[in-house]
Every structure is written in structure tokens, then in C-alpha cells.
Amino acid sequence: MGSMLEEMLPGHEGLLADPYPAYARLRSSGAPHLVRLRSGLYGWLVTRYDDARAALADPRLSKDPRNAPADWQEAGRGRPLEDRSGLGTHLLTTDPPEHTRLRRLVSGFFTPRRLAGLRPGIEAHARTLAAGLPPGADLVADFASPLQSAVICDVLGVPEADRADFQGWTTAVVSSSATDAGARPAALRELTLYARGLVAGKLREPGDDVISAITLEERVSEDALLSMIFLLLVAGYETTVSLIALGAYTLLRHPGQLDLLRSRPSLIDDAVEELLRYDSPVELATWRFALEPVVLGGTLLPAGQPILVALAAANRDPGRFPSPDCPDLTRSDNAHVSFGHGPHYCLGALLARIVGRAALSELIRLPDLALAVPPERLRWRSSLTVRGPLHLPVTFTA
């Protein structure tokens, strides 16, 4: 059983393209399963929808890795954005009241009214990128990545002159596909230096961006600001790129649904929700740790145990979603958990929806849009959390 569970986890080449049959086998028993990663990390995998919702909102499950067992903490050392060293103290690694305070610092920027003001610019940029796509386009490198990079730069207030460098560093830091082992640390150093200068500039001359919003609302330490910037990069960049790529991939694999959306573009908001449910860009929620004994799926988990919630598995639970393995853009009552649930519900959910809506609205207008390679030739991200193709080559009629 143990080896099968290790193979099931993201990172195993044989299941990157389609982990859902393995999730279905695990979900059928109902109980959480103890899984071990090659890194030495381990945890209890939650796969059913009701259990996932309960775990995501349970205050007895801490997000702070300092509450993990000593052997787990030792295996997880050296992850600067996740282990609460340096840049690792942010919304995904803190509990109330610290989490509440940090979330309040940035929540003022992510209001519906403020994000509505970003929508026209996002839609215009998506339109420009789609119009300039080459005949043999890669929808990740040529469309989704530059679109979301521009959005992140707008949100953070990165000047136009710096955006090419910023995108290069960001891609190297957040990408799970870097082939050069030294690329990520080097880019992280460059990005940290740049971010320090950016924060200093915003303190002198605030603008209409999230960094300025934080500095105006309350004086915070430079490390806290930097941690928040890197959280926005890690949590907002690759996940939204994958949202666009997975959404396009699903539509291309299900031409009936693509034709439906083309004929009824008013379905775009429902379509984005269903595409998020069908293939979540965040496959597993970030780690949680039991502060006391907790019962999940009828299983008593001892205090201190690490817990992983499989959002992708919960979204395909037939006990919650009829015909879950079939995308249906007209699906109603679509309460997926792709953005989480409870106090850690994704702060950028509305922004991701705006970007996904703008991107897919443009892509479905491309005539004769089709995959340029067989699906089995696509390469997939090897990541514990983010799911999606590394590249998505397509053809269309110019």
C-alpha cells in the first residue's frame, strides 16, 4: 500500500497527466491515507469532498510548520518560502491572530471594486496577446505566462522598464521545471534585492498597488512585506497560468464543450467555475498540522500529524458532483474547493477568475484552435501543489 501511495502523489511521472483514477481509488475507502514523499516529508491525504471542506476550515489544523513533528521539520528545511525562515512567514504559514493581521494588510487591495478597475486593462492585454500569437503558439509561454506576469506587475506596482527582468526572475523562482539547479537560488537573490528596492520606493512615493496599500495601512517590517510579495508571486503567478492552460486544454479535449461556449459566450463565468472544478490548478492544499487529535473520514489522527487536502480529488467526488469526470459548462451548484475554504480561502480568487475569464474569452475566438501534439506528448509540472502542462502547443487559422 505504501509504495502505491507514494506513486500516486504529484511528482510521479506516470500519473502527472491524469492522477484522477488514483484519487478515485483512494477516495473509495473514505479514510485519509498516510503518504510519504521522496523528500522525507509525509502526511495524511484527505480525498473526499466533505472531509476536505471540514479540514480546510478546522481551527485545530495549524498552518504553521513549527507545529509539525521534528522529523518532518528536519525533512522540510531549506525551503525558504515555506519553512518560516526568512521569506517563509506569510498567509500560508501562519494562524490567527497573526494570519488575521497579515490578511487584513492586503485584503483592502483585493476588494471587488478595486479589482473591477483592473478588469479592462486585463481584458485589453489578453486581446493584444491573442492577436499577436504566432501560428505555432505555445499557450503557456506565449499567452498565459506573459498575461499573468503583467497582472502581477500591475498588482505589485512594478515599473514598465523593470518588467522584463522581473518576469525572468519570477519564472525561475516559481517554476517547478527549471533544469538548472542553480537558477532558482540565483533568481531568488536577484528578486529579493529588487523587491527591497521596490518597497523602499513605495515607502517614499506610494502608488495604486498592493505594496503601497500595505505600507499606507500600517507600518510593517521589511521582511513581512517581502514575504507578502513572494506569496503573491508563488500563489498568484503559476497557479493562474495553470488555470488558463488547464482550461484551454480541457476545452480542446472536449470539443462539444468548446463549441457550446463559442455559441453561448454568456456561459463564460460558469465555464471558468467548471473548468476550475474539473481540473484544479492547485492539486493539493498546502500543509496543515493537527494541534490536537482530530477525526477525519472516521480516522483518528494523532496530534502533530501533517495533513494534505487533495483539492483535485474532492472536486471529483461523485458524492458531491454528479458525473464528476465529465466537464459540463452548464453545471449549477458548483461549490468546488479549488480556491480552498474557510479562513485561508484564496485572497486572489476574484482576480484569478477575472484573468481566467479574459484569457479564455479570447482563446475561444481563435478559429480552428487545436492541440498541435497528441496529449500524451505533453509534459506536466512535477509539483506537490500546482498542476498543469509545462507547454501547450496549439495550431489555429490566422
Side-chain angles (χ1 to χ4, degrees):
M1 178 66 75
S3 61
M4 184 275 285
L5 294 179
E6 288 180 24
E7 288 186 359
M8 187 285 306
L9 282 172
H12 185 271
E13 285 296 330
L15 294 171
L16 287 177
D18 184 12
Y20 293 102
Y23 280 136
R25 290 195 298 273
L26 296 179
R27 195 174 50 233
S28 63
S29 74
H33 297 263
L34 182 62
V35 294
R36 296 185 183 276
L37 284 65
R38 296 183 183 91
S39 64
L41 298 179
Y42 59 90
W44 293 88
L45 189 73
V46 177
T47 55
R48 284 195 169 180
Y49 180 86
D50 289 344
D51 296 336
R53 292 256 303 186
L56 292 169
D58 194 330
R60 298 172 299 172
L61 301 185
S62 169
K63 297 284 289 176
D64 190 333
R66 293 176 300 187
N67 290 315
D71 60 339
W72 192 99
Q73 291 189 49
E74 188 59 37
R77 289 195 195 285
R79 299 175 303 155
L81 306 182
E82 301 159 25
D83 67 0
R84 291 214 62 164
S85 64
L87 301 173
T89 302
H90 47 65
L91 291 174
L92 297 183
T93 59
T94 54
D95 301 320
E98 186 179 13
H99 173 266
T100 308
R101 184 183 71 84
L102 290 175
R103 191 176 178 100
R104 184 176 61 80
L105 291 178
V106 292
S107 60
F109 184 85
F110 290 94
T111 62
R113 181 178 179 182
R114 185 184 284 267
L115 294 182
L118 296 178
R119 185 190 295 265
I122 293 171
E123 292 175 344
H125 195 53
R127 195 173 308 121
T128 300
L129 285 170
L133 284 174
D138 172 1
L139 292 187
V140 174
D142 299 326
F143 183 73
S145 185
L147 175 60
Q148 184 59 7
S149 178
V151 171
I152 291 290
C153 285
D154 285 341
V155 168
L156 294 178
V158 176
E160 289 285 346
D162 300 339
R163 292 192 174 191
D165 287 340
F166 188 86
Q167 182 177 355
W169 297 326
T170 299
T171 301
V173 168
V174 305
S175 176
S176 56
S177 60
T179 54
D180 180 0
R184 188 173 189 266
L188 185 60
R189 287 192 296 272
E190 294 286 348
L191 195 52
T192 302
L193 283 173
Y194 177 79
R196 289 187 190 280
L198 189 63
V199 167
K202 300 297 180 184
L203 285 168
R204 291 192 303 269
E205 296 183 33
D208 186 20
D209 54 74
V210 71
I211 298 176
S212 299
I214 298 172
T215 58
L216 288 173
E217 185 170 343
E218 181 178 328
R219 293 292 295 184
V220 295
S221 70
E222 184 181 63
D223 281 348
L225 264 170
L226 291 174
S227 293
M228 198 67 72
I229 292 171
F230 281 95
L231 172 64
L232 291 170
L233 291 177
V234 173
Y237 179 80
E238 202 168 25
T239 53
T240 306
V241 168
S242 287
L243 185 164
I244 297 168
L246 286 170
Y249 177 68
T250 297
L251 291 174
L252 292 173
R253 295 293 308 278
H254 298 85
Q257 295 295 297
L258 176 56
D259 290 342
L260 174 64
L261 187 54
R262 281 172 166 160
S263 65
R264 295 174 58 189
S266 62
L267 281 176
I268 185 62
D269 289 330
D270 290 337
V272 169
E273 298 307 310
E274 175 64 353
L275 294 170
L276 279 163
R277 181 205 68 82
Y278 180 76
D279 214 351
S280 174
V282 180
E283 189 168 346
L284 276 72
T286 49
W287 295 94
R288 284 164 167 78
F289 310 96
L291 295 175
E292 60 185 72
V294 174
V295 176
L296 278 174
T299 300
L300 178 63
L301 304 182
Q305 288 297 290
I307 294 167
L308 280 170
V309 179
L311 305 178
N315 283 340
R316 297 279 191 104
D317 188 339
R320 178 59 182 81
F321 301 101
S323 303
D325 295 320
C326 298
D328 177 6
L329 304 190
T330 65
R331 188 184 297 272
S332 59
D333 187 24
N334 199 347
H336 61 75
V337 289
S338 294
F339 291 120
H341 175 62
H344 289 275
Y345 182 81
C346 177
L347 192 63
L350 177 56
L351 181 58
R353 286 178 165 115
I354 291 172
V355 177
R357 183 187 194 278
L360 294 171
S361 293
E362 294 302 324
L363 292 179
I364 64 172
R365 294 192 179 104
L366 297 175
D368 306 316
L369 184 66
L371 285 172
V373 298
E376 57 269 21
R377 285 185 53 193
L378 293 177
R379 293 172 54 232
W380 292 78
R381 298 187 185 281
S382 179
S383 167
L384 188 63
T385 51
V386 181
R387 169 172 167 71
L390 291 172
H391 304 282
L392 193 63
V394 296
T395 59
F396 60 92
T397 302

